[in-house]
Amino acid sequence: DVQMTQSPSSLSASVGDRVTITCRASQSISSSLNWYQQKPGKAPKLLIYGASNLQSGVPSRFSGSGSGTDFTLTISSLQPEDFATYYCQQSYNTPLTFGGGTKVEIK
Amino acid sequence: QVQLQESGPGLVKPSQTLSLTCTVSGGSISSAGYYWSWIRQHPGKGLEWIGSIYFSGSTYYTPSLKSRVTMSVDTSKSHFSLNLTSVTAADTAVYYCARVTTTVTTMGWFDPWGQGTLVIVSS
């Protein structure tokens, strides 16, 4: 199985901050990496697919980069509605696996 | 747009079978290029993929649950189902259904998702 490791597990940030979340795969997964946002009591929402492709309707302050084993989700200017938990997910092979999540909290 | 809705019992007794259905609306469950999936989330924890099914009936299951999981699809009713046998308290979780967009070579990303349904395993 491909293990996905996210860091940090949580972070505190202020509105307007630039936020970076990292996801590392236990083996090369090419660009088969997807990012989700989950708010309490809600289903996850797709943000980025294929490492760097912005899902339709997602604000452009979200961006993704990376390939191989190391990937990054960046929020260029954190907004109040962005406080949530973020998950990466590899789709290189089955079983499909998720990272442990990064909780973004208000400083 | 495509919408998914989970349904099924919210309480299941230990050793019994958990059965959930996901109804797809706003699009065809028989569309090429999409698998239909179940994912669960233990309380306060991360996300765990359970398995995926194609409209033809082809399935993929996560190895840790494979011996207890069966997924099926009914294209005439536009729904797919999950059966998880011999449940224990460790199967208590929010269960989500979702569509997977496949790529040329791999499974892909989950979108959209159902709202999720909490299943508690308790006597």
Side-chain angles (χ1 to χ4, degrees):
Chain A
D1 300 4
V2 179
Q3 306 302 320
M4 307 302 295
T5 303
Q6 281 183 242
S7 61
S9 57
S10 66
L11 65 90
S12 295
S14 300
V15 173
D17 283 354
R18 182 182 182 89
V19 169
T20 299
I21 298 168
T22 297
C23 182
R24 175 165 289 176
S26 60
Q27 66 181 71
S28 177
I29 58 170
S30 185
S31 295
S32 301
L33 191 283
N34 313 299
W35 290 98
Y36 303 86
Q37 176 194 67
Q38 186 178 33
K39 296 181 179 179
K42 299 294 186 181
K45 172 189 172 184
L46 177 68
L47 299 176
I48 302 284
Y49 63 93
S52 60
N53 299 288
L54 192 67
Q55 172 68 348
S56 176
V58 174
S60 59
R61 61 181 179 274
F62 291 93
S63 64
S65 64
S67 67
T69 60
D70 294 317
F71 301 87
T72 299
L73 173 70
T74 299
I75 310 172
S76 61
S77 177
L78 197 66
Q79 298 301 300
E81 60 267 31
D82 300 337
F83 292 95
T85 300
Y86 294 84
Y87 293 94
C88 61
Q89 173 244 329
Q90 67 82 19
S91 51
Y92 185 74
N93 58 18
T94 58
L96 305 177
T97 48
F98 292 85
T102 296
K103 186 173 184 178
V104 177
E105 298 176 302
I106 302 172
K107 181 182 281 186
Chain B
Q1 72 279 19
V2 173
Q3 294 182 309
L4 291 82
Q5 177 68 59
E6 304 89 350
S7 59
L11 181 64
V12 180
K13 289 181 167 51
S15 80
Q16 294 191 342
T17 296
L18 180 160
S19 296
L20 296 174
T21 295
C22 181
T23 300
V24 178
S25 60
S28 174
I29 199 170
S30 301
S31 295
Y34 299 112
Y35 271 75
W36 304 92
S37 300
W38 291 98
I39 303 110
R40 70 181 182 179
Q41 186 169 36
H42 294 103
K45 302 296 184 183
L47 299 161
E48 177 184 25
W49 173 70
I50 299 170
S52 300
I53 188 166
Y54 202 57
F55 73 89
S56 63
S58 173
T59 56
Y60 292 89
Y61 299 140
T62 195
S64 62
L65 296 173
K66 188 173 183 178
S67 64
R68 298 195 291 130
V69 169
T70 303
M71 294 178 63
S72 60
V73 61
D74 188 331
T75 56
S76 67
K77 295 182 179 178
S78 197
H79 73 212
F80 60 105
S81 300
L82 169 71
N83 276 1
L84 181 65
T85 62
S86 304
V87 297
T88 70
D91 295 307
T92 293
V94 175
Y95 287 76
Y96 295 101
C97 58
R99 186 181 71 177
V100 180
T101 298
T102 61
T103 68
V104 174
T105 56
T106 72
M107 291 266 201
W109 48 94
F110 299 102
D111 181 73
W113 296 61
Q115 66 185 25
T117 186
L118 174 62
V119 179
I120 297 172
V121 179
S122 175
S123 55

